[in-house]
């Protein structure tokens, strides 16, 4: 997924690299491995740095996302961004869940640049998450920022914690949704959205 080049991801200030490194070192010892062998020698350092990237959503400033991307416009048809790829970590096992999000809203005078919607998804995905909360947070953020007539978010994801742990594979796939305003109140609006996101969509797979 391509994002605007002009917006810099702020450096994570929340993650303590030094103590993360030490904990990973302890973890490697605790599972009975040798942290000094070649392949593992730099793993604590690599993982600590990796987490600053995978969990950068905590320090993402919403203002830097929406900055100068809000437009006042007389348009009241549905705006839909579908198939937004995302990567998150489940907070129960800290293993990835991976999938796509579909975000729609019906404006009430305010719209946001289309490229910003994937950045909003990313801001919430790059945290320790559960899929249900992430879905709601995306919907709430769009609701608060744009005050639209309605907003709808559907998230489909595969959870590695289910797939890798021998839980039945069909349990690893999950769909969640959050809807506000006209998507909740108006069946035709909701149906238009659901038809749009199912059209030509391929099933999730690895
Ligand atoms: Zn999990």
């Amino acid at each position: 997924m391509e994002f605007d080049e002009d917006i810099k991801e702020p450096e994570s200030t929340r993650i303590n690299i030094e103590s993360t490194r030490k904990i990973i070192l302890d973890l490697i010892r605790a599972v009975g491995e040798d942290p000094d062998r070649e392949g593992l020698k730099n793993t604590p350092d690599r993982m600590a740095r990796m987490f600053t990237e995978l969990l950068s959503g905590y320090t993402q400033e919403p203002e830097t996302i929406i900055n100068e991307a809000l437009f006042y416009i007389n348009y009241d048809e549905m705006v839909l961004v579908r198939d937004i790829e995302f990567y998150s970590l489940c907070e129960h096992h800290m293993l990835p869940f991976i999938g796509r999000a579909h975000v729609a809203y019906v404006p009430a005078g305010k719209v946001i640049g289309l490229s910003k919607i994937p950045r909003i998804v990313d801001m919430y995905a790059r945290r320790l998450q559960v899929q249900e909360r992430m879905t709601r947070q995306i919907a709430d953020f769009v609701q608060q920022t744009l005050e639209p007539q309605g907003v709808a978010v559907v998230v489909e994801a595969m959870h590695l914690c289910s797939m890798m742990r021998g839980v039945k594979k069909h349990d690893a796939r999950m769909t969640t949704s959050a809807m506000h305003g006209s998507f909740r109140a108006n069946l035709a609006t909701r149906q238009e959205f659901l038809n749009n996101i199912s059209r030509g969509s391929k099933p999730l797979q690895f």
Side-chain angles (χ1 to χ4, degrees), residues 51-196:
F51 278 125
T52 65
E53 187 182 345
L54 301 192
L55 300 177
S56 60
Y58 291 115
T59 49
Q60 174 77 59
E61 300 284 345
E63 295 75 27
T64 64
I65 295 181
I66 54 179
N67 197 19
E68 290 170 17
L70 282 183
F71 306 101
Y72 295 84
I73 188 170
N74 194 10
Y75 180 80
D76 61 1
E77 299 295 325
M78 187 183 303
V79 177
L80 167 65
V81 185
R82 56 173 277 185
D83 297 314
I84 302 164
E85 242 179 75
F86 74 88
Y87 302 85
S88 190
L89 287 175
C90 87
E91 65 187 19
H92 299 138
H93 305 92
M94 291 179 70
L95 283 173
F97 67 98
I98 300 170
R100 52 193 177 207
H102 315 286
V103 179
Y105 64 97
V106 178
K110 248 192 275 184
V111 298
I112 189 167
L114 274 194
S115 66
K116 306 302 173 186
I117 302 273
R119 294 187 55 87
I120 294 167
V121 171
D122 237 26
M123 173 173 67
Y124 290 112
R126 292 182 178 195
R127 301 177 182 199
L128 298 180
Q129 273 290 15
V130 294
Q131 187 179 328
E132 295 89 337
R133 184 176 60 227
M134 184 183 102
T135 307
R136 201 187 58 232
Q137 284 173 329
I138 296 165
D140 289 352
F141 184 83
V142 174
Q143 178 69 36
Q144 284 155 23
T145 308
L146 298 180
E147 298 167 311
Q149 297 179 49
V151 52
V153 177
V154 166
V155 175
E156 310 166 73
M158 312 271 296
H159 291 250
L160 259 70
C161 60
S162 297
M163 300 176 72
M164 294 177 74
R165 290 164 58 247
V167 182
K168 288 195 189 86
K169 285 229 175 178
H170 65 258
D171 292 336
R173 195 180 302 240
M174 186 155 82
T175 303
T176 48
S177 67
M179 304 208 182
H180 293 305
S182 55
F183 287 90
R184 187 178 274 276
N186 187 331
L187 178 65
T189 306
R190 187 162 65 242
Q191 203 55 51
E192 184 189 343
F193 167 65
L194 294 174
N195 289 345
N196 264 316

